[in-house]
Amino acid sequence: MSPIQLSNTSTGTAMNDIHKICDAHIHIFPDRLMEAILHWFVKQGWTMPYRQPLEELLKYLENIGVTSAFVLGYVHKRDMAVGINLWLKDLCTQYSWLHPFAALHQEDQDMESILGQALDEWNFPGVKIHTFVQKVAVNDERLWPMYRMLCARRKGLILHASGMPIESPYTRVENLREVLRSFPNLKVTIAHMGLPNDFSLAVKLAASYPNVYLDTAFIFGNPRFHVQEEWLKAIEAYPTKFIFGSDFPVMDYSPFKAIQALKELPLTDDVKTLLLWDNAMRFLDTEIS
């Protein structure tokens, strides 16, 4: 399937809406790596229509009302993280509305030095760990130095703990329990709401620990997923624990539809504001433990 045109039409509703929008789950990589990632999904039978140049992708997000975004780096093997993090630093210096989350691999030599550079020298707000791609469980002891550093700095972890796109023993939310017992103040977002199998446990952890969140990436507005009553009940019960994300451009439906679907949920305006902006800003705030 050829890339779709990133039209600016039909976006007035999003742009003029009272809600500020932070997309807390996007992926932007250097061109060759970005193409390799999208090609992997195509080989799995997905359509990956968002394959435009970086500048066009970012302009599209701005045109649909996104004014802040978390750019999540990750790597599939050791010795790649420093290069990806440097690229992210330069990207987010150029586009100040982007917030870079560092890549880190469990087999990296001198992990603390790599992470210290990103968190301290470059002031990244946190780290992304993609358990499926990295083939690592979140309770792997090699990640313990990372947790200590994040907690000491009150910075965050975006964690792929979801059976999407493929279920794996590495991706189970259950693996996070042990980490939170040792680091109860760890700031962590469970990506994709822990779906398809671990939503209930993800909500339970968010209810039990002060800094655990769930993001909505690849869920709302996606024709594969019909809104479930349990999702709405959980959001209403814990409105400060859910954060909007799209997964753009690693998606095959419109991020504009994701935003509109969230806005059309039977929730109060105050709750929608929390999901679209306030909770993401709280996650970035290093003054909140």
Side-chain angles (χ1 to χ4, degrees), residues 118-136:
L119 298 180
D120 300 331
E121 293 182 35
W122 299 339
N123 199 31
F124 281 27
V127 179
K128 160 75 172 191
I129 294 294
H130 200 308
T131 57
F132 173 71
V133 171
Q134 297 180 218
K135 295 182 173 60
V136 64

Side-chain angles (χ1 to χ4, degrees):
M1 180 176 179
S2 60
I4 66 172
Q5 296 298 311
L6 298 184
S7 172
N8 294 339
T9 61
S10 302
T11 60
T13 302
M15 293 178 67
N16 297 324
D17 196 279
I18 60 171
H19 295 116
K20 293 186 289 185
I21 300 170
C22 177
D23 188 335
H25 193 128
I26 74 169
H27 298 288
I28 302 292
F29 291 97
D31 290 344
R32 288 181 61 186
L33 180 56
M34 187 84 252
E35 184 60 28
I37 292 169
L38 295 177
H39 183 64
W40 183 90
F41 280 90
V42 170
K43 287 174 63 178
Q44 310 309 309
W46 297 52
T47 59
M48 289 285 107
Y50 296 104
R51 302 172 82 162
Q52 291 74 16
L54 180 153
E55 293 81 6
E56 290 185 35
L57 295 174
L58 294 177
K59 178 56 68 174
Y60 175 65
L61 286 180
E62 290 184 291
N63 286 341
I64 64 173
V66 175
T67 56
S68 180
F70 296 3
V71 186
L72 311 183
Y74 60 84
V75 289
H76 64 284
K77 61 183 180 180
R78 59 183 290 180
D79 300 329
M80 290 182 63
V82 171
I84 293 298
N85 293 341
L86 177 60
W87 186 88
L88 286 172
K89 177 186 78 75
D90 292 341
L91 172 72
C92 297
T93 298
Q94 181 179 358
Y95 297 93
S96 60
W97 56 280
L98 300 179
H99 304 281
F101 281 74
L104 193 70
H105 195 274
Q106 67 274 10
E107 295 178 2
D108 281 334
Q109 296 294 316
D110 203 5
M111 178 188 293
E112 294 178 58
S113 176
I114 294 171
L115 190 54
Q117 182 178 53
L119 298 180
D120 300 331
E121 293 182 35
W122 299 339
N123 199 31
F124 281 27
V127 179
K128 160 75 172 191
I129 294 294
H130 200 308
T131 57
F132 173 71
V133 171
Q134 297 180 218
K135 295 182 173 60
V136 64
V138 70
N139 58 349
D140 191 303
E141 64 182 13
R142 291 172 292 180
L143 298 177
W144 247 242
M146 177 188 73
Y147 300 133
R148 286 193 287 268
M149 293 180 70
L150 291 174
C151 286
R153 293 158 177 78
R154 298 180 177 179
K155 297 200 174 186
L157 169 68
I158 310 293
L159 176 66
H160 181 97
S162 162
M164 298 184 294
I166 297 174
E167 191 70 45
S168 161
Y170 298 117
T171 65
R172 299 309 300 264
V173 172
E174 177 66 32
N175 298 328
L176 184 57
R177 283 184 185 270
E178 180 183 347
V179 177
L180 291 171
R181 291 190 191 107
S182 297
F183 302 94
N185 291 316
L186 179 68
K187 189 186 299 184
V188 54
T189 291
I190 300 170
H192 314 294
M193 303 201 308
L195 292 169
N197 298 314
D198 291 343
F199 176 76
S200 295
L201 178 56
V203 171
K204 183 177 180 179
L205 293 178
S208 301
Y209 291 93
N211 297 319
V212 176
Y213 299 79
L214 287 69
D215 84 26
T216 71
F218 205 69
I219 305 301
F220 290 114
N222 188 336
R224 293 177 179 83
F225 296 96
H226 299 290
V227 175
Q228 302 295 310
E229 187 67 25
E230 66 172 333
W231 302 353
L232 296 176
K233 288 181 178 179
I235 293 172
E236 289 175 335
Y238 308 105
T240 63
K241 293 304 189 90
F242 287 81
I243 300 176
F244 170 72
S246 71
D247 222 1
F248 185 77
V250 189
M251 61 193 305
D252 53 4
Y253 71 103
S254 166
F256 177 71
K257 289 183 178 179
I259 292 169
Q260 290 305 103
L262 192 150
K263 290 182 177 181
E264 291 168 4
L265 293 176
L267 302 169
T268 68
D269 238 25
D270 286 345
V271 171
K272 293 174 185 177
T273 298
L274 288 170
L275 269 63
L276 288 165
W277 186 262
D278 291 353
N279 294 341
M281 295 303 106
R282 185 179 301 108
F283 191 83
L284 293 176
D285 191 348
T286 57
E287 298 301 314
I288 299 175
S289 60

